[in-house]
Amino acid sequence: QVQLVESGGGSVQVGGSLKLSCVASGYLYSAYCMGWFRQAPGKQREWVAGLDSHGIASYADSVKGRFTISQDNAKGTLYLQMVSLKPEDTDTYYCAAYSRIGSEASPCDVNTIATIGPYNYWGKGTQVTVS
């Protein structure tokens, strides 16, 4: 069973930094496409960053230049380094995954990773508060 567990959230001052981690288990990590999303209460969940099948990162315009997504395949862990945090970054952050091989696969390309539809595995989220 696929499990994603996020950690690293917390409360920081404006301009501060946080590093989120997402530990994946229950599946072959390299067979899945990974991304970060965030959601505020009453708002739609929005894509933040993702890695395509070549390991190339893409970012939402709102976080470009401030957030960095990375992964450690050996550890099955996805990261999101966040710097220069702003109050509008206050959200619950979710790690998500979808299969890029097999009968239910979706492409792991720059366009697909930025859409919420393909992602069918989600963590429970970690809260980030910037004030």
Side-chain angles (χ1 to χ4, degrees), residues 43-103:
K43 293 188 177 180
Q44 287 189 332
R45 191 166 296 188
E46 65 173 1
W47 174 75
V48 174
L51 292 167
D52 70 12
S53 59
H54 301 289
I56 298 174
S58 296
Y59 301 93
D61 288 342
S62 58
V63 306
K64 201 171 293 183
R66 301 186 298 119
F67 289 12
T68 302
I69 186 173
S70 62
Q71 65 185 355
D72 185 330
N73 286 345
K75 295 182 178 180
T77 303
L78 185 73
Y79 303 98
L80 186 68
Q81 175 70 55
M82 307 183 294
V83 302
S84 301
L85 284 163
K86 305 175 181 180
E88 51 264 44
D89 295 319
T90 296
D91 276 319
T92 300
Y93 285 72
Y94 297 88
C95 171
Y98 64 88
S99 177
R100 59 189 187 97
I101 62 173
S103 60

Side-chain angles (χ1 to χ4, degrees), residues 111-128:
N111 294 315
T112 308
I113 61 174
T115 58
I116 195 171
Y119 292 89
N120 49 6
Y121 297 102
W122 296 85
K124 294 183 178 180
T126 185
Q127 177 67 37
V128 172

